[in-house]
Amino acid sequence: MKTTRSIVLSIAATGLVGFAACGTTFPPQDLVNARTAFARANSGPTPKTDPADLHSAKEQLDLAEASYAKDGDTQYTRDQSYLAVRKTELAEVVGRTRQTDKEKNGVVNAMHADEKQAVASTSAELGRTRTQLANQNVAYVAQGTALKDEKSRRQDAEKRAAQASADLAKFATVKQDPRGMVITLSGSILFESAKWDLLPSAQLKLNDVANALIKEDPLSKMVVEGYTDSQGGVSYNQDLSQHRAQAVRDYLVTRGIAGDRITAQGFGLTHSIADNKSPEGRANNRRVEIVVQATDPSLSLR
Amino acid sequence: MYKSLFSLVILVPLLGACGASVPPPTQRLADAQSATRSARELGANSEPAAQLSLKLADEQISQAQKAINDGDNKRAESLLVRAKADAELAVAQSRERGAKIAGQVAVDNSAAQENTNYNQGAEK
C-alpha cells in the first residue's frame, strides 16, 4: 500500500514537473510581483535616490525573466523573482533613508546657521551694550566733574560773599532783603549838606566797598539808590538823590566795578526808614543804598 | 518487493535531479543567519515593516534547517537565498527607522533651539 502511494506520488510529481517545463502561459506570481515592484520603484524617486541598488534589482529581475524565458516556471525562476522583489524594495528603502538623512542634515545645518546667526547678533548686541555702558560711564564721570566744579564754584562764591560782607560790616550796615544784599551807607559820611560831590573820606570808604563788591559774585547786578530826608521839595530831593546815587555809582566804576553791572537811581524823600521829625531820624533817612541783586537766590548772602 | 524496487528506480533519478547531489548549503545558512542578526541588532523588531521582513527570514531559515535535516538541500538553498534577501531588506528598513528618528530629533532640537534663541532675544 505504501509503495503504491509512492508510485502515484512520484508519477504525479513527474507530471507536474513536466507540465511546468512545457510552460504555461501564466508567469509565476513571484515574477509578476517582481515586475510590478520594479515598475513601481522605477517610476518613483528611487532612480534618483538609490540608482545603484535599483540597478541591482533590475539585473535580478532580468535573471528571473531569462530563467522564465528559458526554463519556464521553475523553482529557480521563482527564487530569482523573489530576490528581484526584495532587491527592489531594498532600493526603495535605501533611497528613502537617504532622503530622510538629507532632510535631517538640512534641518541640522539650518539650525547651526540659525545658532550662528543668533550668536552673532547676541555678540553684536553685547558690543553695543558695552559701548553704551562705556559712553554712559564717560557721561557719569563728566557729570561728576561738572558737579564737583559747580560745588567748588559755589563754595568760592559763598566764601567771597562772606568775606565781602565781613569787610563791609566795618563801616556800613549790610542786610539781606527781598531786593538782594543791601549795603547802606550814611549820607553824612559821603556828602556835605545839599551837595553831591563825594567827601575825600567818603572815597576811602567807597574804595573798601568797591573792593568788597569786586569779591562778590561777578555776575550780579548792582543798583545804587539815593534817598534824602523830607526837608525841602520833592523835586529838589529827587534831583539831589539822583545825583548822589550817580556820583557813588561813577566812583565805584572808577574803582573797577564793570559799568554795565551797576546803575544809579534816585528816590528822593520816598522810602524813608526813620521818622523825619527828629534829627536822628532824618540823618538815618539821608542815605545811599547799594543793592546787589543775587544771580542765584541760593547764593545770597546771609 | 518488486514494486518497491520499481518505485526506487523512479525516485532515485528524481531525487538526484532535485538535490541529492547538492551539498548542504551551510554557507548560505550562515549568511542568512548573520543577516538576521544584523537586522535584530539594528532594532528591526521596533519597526513593523522590518519586523515582518525579519519574521519571513526567520521562518524560511527554520524551514531550510528542517529541509537540510530531511536531506532536501536544494529546497534549503532556495529558502536560504530568500531568507537572506528578506533579512537584508529588514536591515535596510531598520536603518530607515533610525534615519526617521534622527530626523525627528533634529526637527525637535531645531525647534527647541529656535525657542531658546528667541528667549535669549534673537528674532524669530
Side-chain angles (χ1 to χ4, degrees), chain B residues 73-92:
Chain B
N73 293 341
K74 186 146 176 79
R75 177 168 151 70
E77 190 169 316
S78 165
L79 286 164
L80 290 173
V81 164
R82 291 175 179 232
K84 190 183 171 215
D86 286 329
E88 281 170 350
L89 180 61
V91 166

Side-chain angles (χ1 to χ4, degrees), chain A residues 3-4 6-7 10 13-14 17 30 75 78-80 82-83 86 89-90 93-94 96-97 100-101 104 107-108 111 114-115 118 121-122, chain B residues 3-4 6-7 10-11 14 56 60 78 81-82 85-86 88-89 92-93 95-96 99-100 102-103 106-107 109-110 113-114 117 120 122:
Chain A
T3 48
T4 315
S6 301
I7 293 163
S10 55
T14 316
V17 170
D30 282 330
Q75 186 58 42
R78 292 182 177 198
D79 288 347
Q80 297 309 305
Y82 189 90
L83 290 187
R86 286 296 180 256
E89 288 174 349
L90 183 94
V93 170
V94 170
R96 281 203 300 271
T97 306
T100 307
D101 278 344
K104 182 203 78 177
V107 169
V108 168
M111 180 172 80
D114 279 0
E115 178 69 351
S121 74
T122 304
Chain B
K3 276 178 185 173
S4 41
F6 175 73
S7 70
I10 305 254
L11 282 172
L14 269 174
L56 286 174
Q60 287 173 121
S78 165
V81 164
R82 291 175 179 232
D86 286 329
E88 281 170 350
L89 180 61
Q93 287 164 330
R95 288 204 174 115
E96 185 184 20
K100 274 180 185 164
V107 167
N109 284 346
S110 174
Q113 186 62 59
E114 201 167 286
N117 289 348
Q120 287 174 358

Side-chain angles (χ1 to χ4, degrees), chain A residues 132-143:
Chain A
Q132 265 171 20
L133 279 176
N135 289 343
Q136 216 165 53
N137 208 19
V138 167
Y140 282 150
V141 169
Q143 216 167 52

Side-chain angles (χ1 to χ4, degrees), chain A residues 25-43:
Chain A
T25 48
F26 301 109
Q29 189 58 45
D30 282 330
L31 182 55
V32 173
N33 290 347
R35 287 172 182 167
T36 311
F38 184 80
R40 178 192 67 224
N42 202 37
S43 63

